[in-house]
Amino acid sequence: MKIIPAIDLMNGQVVRLVKGDPKQKTVYSNEPVVVAKKWEEDGADMLHIVDLDATLGLGENFEIIKEISKNITIPVEVAGGIRNIDKISNTLNFAQRVVIGTIAMELKENDKEQILVDLISQFGKERLVISIDHIDGKIVTHGWQKNTGIELLKATNDFVKYGFSEFLTTNVLRDGTLKGPDVTTLEKICEINGINVIASGGISKLDDIKKIKSCNPYGIILGKALYDGIISIGEAKTIRH
C-alpha cells in the first residue's frame, strides 16, 4: 500500500479544504516545492497534487506543479481541472499519472466507448486514474460541486469494462474532517477484480490506516492529518507492511 501525501494548491499556496469547500480553507505553506521535498524526504511513495483553482474554474497552478515535479524524484499524480486531451497530454509530459473525473463522467453515451478506448490507447491505462469521488454513493464532479446521480459501483464497473484499472475514491463528506474513512464503501470498490484503488478522505489516526489497509487498496492519500502533525509518513509506512 503506497503512502501518498496530498498537496492541494490554491493561488500558489498549499491548502486544505473541508469537504471541498473553498470557504473552509486552511493555508499551510506559501512554498509548495519545499513542502513536496519534505514529504519526499520523509519517505512518501508518490505525491498527489491537486490544482484546486483549475478544478473550481478560478485559474490554475500548472507551472508550480511542473516545478514541483522537476524538484523531486518520486512519482507525481496530478488532479484538478484536467478536462481535455491537450491538458492530459501536457500534464503527462512531466507527471507520471493524471486523475480525470469530470471529462470521463460527462461523455455522451454514443461517444463514450470510442473516446475512452482512444485515451487508453494514447496514454496507457496505468497513467490514467479515474476519479470516483462520491457523496452517499453517487459520483460528484466539477470539484465536488455537481452531483451526477451516477451510482458509484456501477460507474466503476463500467470503466473497468472500457479497460481502466486505476481509480481514486474520496467520500467527500469525510474529506478534511478527520472523522475517519468510509471503509464500508471502500471494501466494496476494492472487491472489484483487476483494479488498483487509492483511498482518500477522513483519515485521522493510525487506526484508520489499519482499517483501510484491510481493504487491500493500492494506496492511501494523507491530507489534513499529515499537515496537522497527527500522523507522520514514517508511522503510516510501518502500518502498511
Side-chain angles (χ1 to χ4, degrees):
M1 184 173 77
K2 295 188 182 299
I3 306 302
I4 309 169
I7 296 182
D8 292 3
L9 298 171
M10 283 191 91
N11 199 26
Q13 299 175 312
V14 180
V15 306
R16 296 300 300 166
L17 307 184
V18 177
K19 301 178 185 177
D21 182 358
K23 296 189 185 75
Q24 298 188 65
K25 177 176 78 171
T26 304
V27 177
Y28 285 94
S29 176
N30 293 314
E31 300 182 277
V33 174
V34 173
V35 173
K37 289 170 93 167
K38 173 175 170 43
W39 296 149
E40 179 180 39
E41 287 164 10
D42 286 356
D45 298 303
M46 183 191 299
L47 289 184
H48 177 74
I49 307 176
V50 185
D51 190 338
L52 290 172
D53 289 317
T55 201
L56 295 168
L58 303 172
E60 66 172 24
N61 297 275
F62 188 79
E63 292 303 320
I64 293 170
I65 297 172
K66 197 189 288 190
E67 189 66 22
I68 290 171
S69 76
K70 282 185 194 167
N71 281 275
I72 60 172
T73 58
I74 57 175
V76 169
E77 174 180 277
V78 180
I82 301 172
R83 296 173 189 159
N84 60 58
I85 303 290
D86 286 345
K87 189 76 178 280
I88 293 172
S89 181
N90 291 338
T91 305
L92 286 176
N93 282 335
F94 60 85
Q96 282 65 47
R97 290 154 59 103
V98 297
V99 179
I100 54 175
T102 300
I103 179 179
M105 298 298 170
E106 294 204 330
L107 291 171
K108 292 176 182 165
E109 211 53 51
N110 293 343
D111 305 329
K112 185 178 270 190
E113 182 169 6
Q114 189 59 56
I115 290 173
L116 292 177
V117 168
D118 286 350
L119 278 175
I120 290 174
S121 174
Q122 186 171 346
F123 300 111
K125 69 175 184 177
E126 71 284 350
R127 303 189 76 191
L128 298 169
V129 184
I130 300 289
S131 168
I132 46 172
D133 300 333
H134 67 98
I135 293 175
D136 295 330
K138 299 291 193 297
I139 299 283
V140 290
T141 59
H142 293 84
W144 302 346
Q145 306 301 303
K146 180 180 175 183
N147 194 320
T148 64
I150 300 169
E151 203 274 318
L152 173 67
L153 293 175
K154 181 185 184 306
T156 307
N157 279 298
D158 284 348
F159 282 110
V160 171
K161 286 176 196 164
Y162 294 125
F164 289 90
S165 61
E166 312 301 309
F167 293 87
L168 164 68
T169 186
T170 308
N171 181 325
V172 173
L173 298 182
R174 304 288 184 103
D175 195 66
T177 66
L178 298 177
K179 289 183 177 175
D182 177 2
V183 177
T184 305
T185 305
L186 180 63
E187 273 180 338
K188 292 174 184 172
I189 299 168
C190 288
E191 284 171 0
I192 298 172
N193 286 330
I195 68 172
N196 294 317
V197 180
I198 294 177
S200 173
I203 293 146
S204 63
K205 53 186 182 287
L206 293 175
D207 195 49
D208 291 338
I209 297 175
K210 290 177 185 171
K211 289 175 183 173
I212 287 174
K213 182 177 181 286
S214 70
C215 300
N216 197 30
Y218 173 76
I220 180 172
I221 290 178
L222 298 180
K224 187 171 175 58
L226 183 63
Y227 283 91
D228 285 353
I230 300 168
I231 291 173
S232 73
I233 292 172
E235 289 170 330
K237 288 181 81 172
T238 62
I239 288 171
R240 66 120 176 244
H241 293 301

